[in-house]
Amino acid sequence: MDDDDVRAALRRHWAASDANDFATEHQIYRADAVLEYPQSGERIPGRASIEATRVAQPSTKRFTVRRMLGGGDLWISELVLTYDGQPFYVVSIMEFEDGEVVRETQYFSEAFEPGPSRAQWVERME
C-alpha cells in the first residue's frame, strides 16, 4: 500500500467508527493486532477482542477527525471523540505492516479551560 491507500483506509476506518459500523471499522486491523490504552493500563490483543470491546461499549459515540498525518508504516490521527455528548481529544498512533494495523496506541484527554496566565498570547480554537 502506498500512502494514498493508507490515508483512504484510515478515512474508511474513522467514518465507520463514527457510524458504529463495526465490521468495516475493524477491517484495517491484522488478526493479531494489539490495541493499547496507556492511560487505563489496558492492552487488547487481537482484532476480534478489539472489536468485541467496542461493540460492548454502552456509550453513544461520535468521531470527528481533526487531521491525519504520517507516511509509510506510521500514521497519527488527531480526533475529537464524543461520548454521550462529552468531547475527548484523542491521538491514535497506528503502526502498519503490509497494509494492516499491527499496533495502535490511543491517548485520551478531557477538554479543560485555558489558564488565565497565558491569555494574552493565545488564540481560541473552535
Side-chain angles (χ1 to χ4, degrees):
M1 288 181 103
D2 66 20
D3 288 354
D4 289 336
D5 294 330
V6 173
R7 190 175 304 278
L10 285 168
R11 282 190 190 109
R12 281 191 304 276
H13 169 76
W14 294 121
S17 297
D18 185 55
N20 289 315
D21 177 354
F22 297 110
T24 302
E25 176 182 7
H26 294 89
Q27 289 174 352
I28 200 167
Y29 297 100
R30 196 168 71 185
D32 63 347
V34 173
L35 172 61
E36 293 183 342
Y37 298 124
Q39 289 168 287
S40 63
E42 295 172 284
R43 176 177 296 123
I44 304 166
R47 178 180 55 225
S49 293
I50 294 167
E51 183 173 354
T53 64
R54 291 177 174 160
V55 170
Q57 172 56 253
S59 301
T60 301
K61 61 186 188 306
R62 298 302 310 260
F63 290 81
T64 302
V65 177
R66 294 188 65 207
R67 68 181 179 152
M68 294 182 304
L69 45 125
D73 291 336
L74 184 62
W75 287 80
I76 299 167
S77 299
E78 291 181 27
L79 313 154
V80 177
L81 170 57
T82 306
Y83 276 119
D84 294 332
Q86 181 179 357
F88 292 86
Y89 295 85
V90 179
V91 174
S92 167
I93 302 168
M94 290 183 169
E95 300 171 48
F96 285 78
E97 286 181 13
D98 300 322
E100 294 179 298
V101 173
V102 294
R103 176 176 297 279
E104 180 179 18
T105 305
Q106 290 188 352
Y107 296 93
F108 297 81
S109 176
E110 291 184 54
F112 58 89
E113 290 300 315
S117 64
R118 61 180 178 263
Q120 66 185 2
W121 297 290
V122 303
E123 297 174 357
R124 291 292 292 170
M125 295 177 7
E126 299 304 322

